[in-house]
Amino acid sequence: MVICPFCKEENIDGADECEQCQQPLGFLSKPRTSSTIEHSLIKDRVYMLAPRKPLGVEASTPVGDVLRLMVSRAIGCIVVNDNGQMVGIFTERDALLRLNVDAALHATRPVRDFMTASPDTIEADAPIAFALHKMDVGGYRHIPVMSGPVASGGKVSGIVSVRDILRYITEDLMSLG
């Protein structure tokens, strides 16, 4: 319960305004950080992780060619495009779960058959905590970073991985001494 500081009415957690006096309560439910790391995750933005430039292939590219490209570049995620628009991503996890030991049998099939379609994305100016939350809830290890809102024609400008966030947290911890 949240007690309204204006009229002392009890309201449910997360209420935007008091049911009794209609005064705003949103400021009472904002998350409060309990550590320097939490504060940094909320304050710092995704672009500060220096997202890697995405490598992309067309959806019709044979999955065997995509796997060879990922191995040669030592990357765990590739953006799948159709006529210049991102339609999915193909990750190490997709290779393990969708190809597994049958990778050679499916090498000539298009990557679109094995990709993660319509992946979740994050905007470059979003807090790092948002990226971490999306990756945790969705179970992803990679998330495409958009140069602007998808609805406004934003394009994939980078890829952030769990490793990038762990590196950021480690550097933040090291700076504390």
Side-chain angles (χ1 to χ4, degrees):
M1 288 302 212
V2 173
I3 306 294
C4 176
F6 304 102
C7 70
K8 308 301 180 204
E9 176 74 16
E10 288 187 2
N11 293 274
I12 60 170
D13 284 334
D16 290 331
E17 65 183 33
C18 177
E19 285 190 33
Q20 178 70 28
C21 68
Q22 281 75 47
Q23 291 292 323
L25 300 176
F27 66 94
L28 296 174
S29 58
K30 289 182 180 175
R32 292 180 174 79
T33 59
S34 63
S35 71
T36 303
I37 297 296
E38 281 185 9
H39 180 72
S40 295
L41 289 170
I42 291 173
K43 177 184 63 79
D44 292 345
R45 304 299 168 176
V46 169
Y47 64 81
M48 297 171 76
L49 298 170
R52 284 169 281 120
K53 286 203 172 275
L55 194 58
V57 297
E58 283 297 312
S60 59
T61 305
V63 73
D65 292 352
V66 175
L67 287 170
R68 279 187 282 282
L69 182 61
M70 291 171 72
V71 169
S72 71
R73 299 284 182 95
I75 57 173
C77 177
I78 203 158
V79 174
V80 180
N81 299 308
D82 190 18
N83 294 319
Q85 291 293 316
M86 181 181 69
V87 293
I89 60 173
F90 183 77
T91 67
E92 297 162 319
R93 186 177 176 94
D94 294 322
L96 286 172
L97 297 178
R98 297 181 175 147
L99 291 171
N100 200 314
V101 294
D102 297 329
L105 293 174
H106 302 297
T108 59
R109 290 181 52 193
V111 69
R112 81 167 61 87
D113 293 350
F114 306 100
M115 70 182 186
T116 298
S118 304
D120 215 347
T121 62
I122 188 101
E123 291 181 29
D125 62 349
I128 293 171
F130 286 12
L132 190 59
H133 178 71
K134 281 187 171 196
M135 294 169 86
D136 180 41
V137 169
Y140 326 126
R141 290 188 289 170
H142 299 88
I143 189 164
V145 178
M146 306 301 288
S147 59
V150 175
S152 304
K155 298 282 184 187
V156 179
S157 62
I159 298 287
V160 168
S161 70
V162 166
R163 183 177 292 190
D164 297 327
I165 295 175
L166 289 174
R167 185 176 305 117
Y168 160 84
I169 291 171
T170 301
E171 289 173 2
D172 210 23
L173 282 171
M174 299 296 279
S175 71
L176 296 176

